[in-house]
């Protein structure tokens, strides 16, 4: 299955690549492709909050997918990169056919490099007058995340000359704020206000990764993760295999679509297995890996 680009229609996300090459039956392949297209269409709808979570494995590959996907789609993206450096994200994005450097230069991508900001605060790096660091809470001068929220709001507020198709806030990963000393209530308040501005006012999307494990003793992280699950329109939950490492199947992804945040309607849940390849991710139904067919 090839990935094509058009001037008016965004390219199919890299996550869909490789499905048809898994040796599954035609009916199964069609079902997988249609399912992914439905998920992709949901992500393009305005005003949605998507939670990415993982356990027993690293779900960071989803962050790279969403980053390249929204940039391809012509959206303005504010990326709070709290885990890796810009060069790391740019290197992975180039494999997916996207240049983060070019996106920054044309004003499409606003990139907060959390590692550098932390070092500047701890070791007294230069600060622009009247512009406090978005991570100012680390210094102890403030106890909330207002400066970080102001950074997001300013980055995504439309200008008169804007021609972007939508606004997106992407966070990798929210757990780092807890590790840096932010209180769970402040982290939840930050996400609440971001949802109000990005999703409700700007009709954009918020995508947040939170690392977590069911066996973890980190109660603060569990509290944040549980609360975000209740407020998410879509949850993509990546889990490692219970049987351990396998070179042909790297894990399972559970797609949980919340039909309504207010009603008691049952969530729609779909589960697939996946294998991370060099430039894409192959998805298949349980037991339909090419290694077992």
């Amino acid at each position: 299955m090839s990935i094509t680009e058009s001037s008016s229609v965004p390219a199919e996300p890299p996550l869909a690549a490789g499905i048809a090459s898994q040796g599954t039956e035609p009916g199964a392949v069609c079902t997988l492709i249609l399912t992914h297209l439905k998920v992709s269409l949901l992500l393009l709808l305005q005003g949605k909050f998507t939670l990415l979570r993982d356990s027993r494995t690293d779900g960071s590959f989803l962050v790279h997918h969403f980053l390249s996907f929204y940039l391809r789609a012509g959206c303005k993206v504010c990326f709070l990169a709290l885990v890796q450096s810009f060069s790391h994200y740019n290197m992975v994005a180039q494999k997916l056919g996207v240049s983060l450097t070019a996106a920054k230069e044309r004003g499409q991508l606003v990139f907060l490099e959390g590692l550098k900001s932390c070092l500047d605060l701890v070791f007294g790096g230069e600060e622009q007058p009247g512009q406090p660091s978005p991570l100012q809470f680390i210094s102890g001068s403030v106890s909330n995340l207002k400066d970080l929220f102001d950074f997001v709001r300013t980055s995504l507020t439309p200008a008169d000359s804007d021609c972007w198709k939508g606004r997106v806030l992407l966070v990798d990963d929210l757990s780092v704020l807890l590790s840096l000393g932010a209180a769970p209530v402040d982290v939840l308040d930050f996400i609440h206000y971001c949802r109000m501005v990005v999703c409700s006012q700007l009709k954009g999307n918020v995508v947040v990764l939170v690392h977590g494990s069911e066996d973890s003793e980190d109660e603060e992280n569990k509290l944040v993760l549980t609360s975000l699950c209740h407020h998410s329109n879509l949850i993509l939950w990546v889990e490692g295999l219970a049987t351990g490492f396998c070179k042909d199947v790297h894990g399972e992804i559970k797609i949980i679509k919340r039909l309504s945040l207010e009603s008691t309607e049952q969530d729609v849940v779909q589960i697939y297995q996946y294998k991370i390849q060099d430039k894409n991710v192959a998805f298949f139904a349980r037991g339909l890996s090419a290694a077992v067919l």
Side-chain angles (χ1 to χ4, degrees):
M1 179 176 177
S2 61
I3 301 175
T4 59
E5 292 191 44
S6 168
S7 58
S8 57
V9 180
E12 176 65 13
L15 279 176
I19 291 179
S21 64
Q22 291 305 302
T24 60
E25 297 178 358
V29 172
C30 291
T31 300
L32 287 174
I33 294 174
L34 289 174
T35 299
H36 184 76
L37 287 176
K38 290 178 181 178
V39 174
S40 299
L41 288 174
L42 175 64
L43 296 174
L44 284 173
L45 294 177
Q46 296 178 335
K48 299 299 180 182
F49 175 59
T50 301
L51 174 65
L52 314 178
R53 61 176 300 186
D54 57 26
S55 55
R56 301 194 306 271
T57 191
D58 185 5
S60 299
F61 68 92
L62 290 174
V63 173
H64 299 294
H65 159 69
F66 279 103
L67 178 59
S68 60
F69 174 55
Y70 281 119
L71 291 177
R72 285 175 182 268
C75 297
K76 175 75 175 284
V77 178
C78 176
F79 186 19
L80 306 184
L82 305 177
V83 179
Q84 300 285 354
S85 64
F86 176 81
S87 59
H88 169 81
Y89 292 105
N90 190 42
M91 180 182 65
V92 178
Q94 286 178 341
K95 289 186 177 182
L96 301 177
V98 176
S99 172
L100 300 190
T101 302
K104 283 181 64 177
E105 291 175 351
R106 62 176 176 263
Q108 184 183 10
L109 173 66
V110 180
F111 189 94
L112 173 65
E113 191 166 356
L115 295 175
K116 183 177 183 301
S117 297
C118 290
L119 288 176
D120 289 343
L121 281 169
V122 172
F123 295 105
E126 294 184 3
E127 238 181 58
Q128 297 183 7
Q131 293 185 0
S133 169
L135 301 180
Q136 192 65 40
F137 73 95
I138 297 177
S139 66
S141 58
V142 294
S143 59
N144 54 43
L145 301 177
K146 183 179 181 301
D147 292 322
L148 186 59
F149 168 70
D150 288 340
F151 174 82
V152 172
R153 180 175 55 183
T154 301
S155 300
L156 295 179
T157 298
D160 295 336
S161 59
D162 273 1
C163 58
W164 308 117
K165 296 180 180 179
R167 262 58 184 177
V168 178
L169 169 62
L170 181 60
V171 184
D172 179 25
D173 101 65
L174 199 67
S175 310
V176 173
L177 295 178
L178 296 173
S179 301
L180 293 175
V185 64
D186 291 329
V187 174
L188 293 174
D189 283 347
F190 167 70
I191 292 297
H192 170 74
Y193 285 111
C194 287
R195 286 177 56 223
M196 292 300 101
V197 170
V198 179
C199 297
S200 299
Q201 295 180 14
L202 301 178
K203 303 302 179 183
N205 294 334
V206 175
V207 181
V208 174
L209 172 67
V210 180
H211 290 301
S213 172
E214 295 178 343
D215 301 327
S216 173
E217 297 181 357
D218 189 343
E219 296 299 329
E220 291 187 344
N221 195 68
K222 282 185 178 179
L223 174 64
V224 171
L225 191 54
T226 302
S227 178
L228 293 180
C229 285
H230 287 298
H231 293 91
S232 302
N233 301 104
L234 181 69
I235 302 173
L236 300 183
W237 188 351
V238 179
E239 295 182 281
L241 296 175
T243 54
F245 174 77
C246 175
K247 67 176 183 178
D248 297 305
V249 181
H250 292 160
E252 292 186 343
I253 180 168
K254 185 184 299 182
I255 304 172
I256 306 173
K257 185 170 66 173
R258 311 290 302 280
L259 297 180
S260 175
L261 298 182
E262 289 81 19
S263 71
T264 57
E265 292 184 83
Q266 190 171 4
D267 298 339
V268 176
V269 181
Q270 297 167 314
I271 301 177
Y272 300 103
Q273 294 180 332
Y274 68 89
K275 179 180 180 180
I276 300 177
Q277 300 172 343
D278 186 39
K279 295 185 178 180
N280 55 43
V281 182
F283 288 88
F284 37 83
R286 284 173 168 173
L288 293 183
S289 167
V292 299
L293 292 178

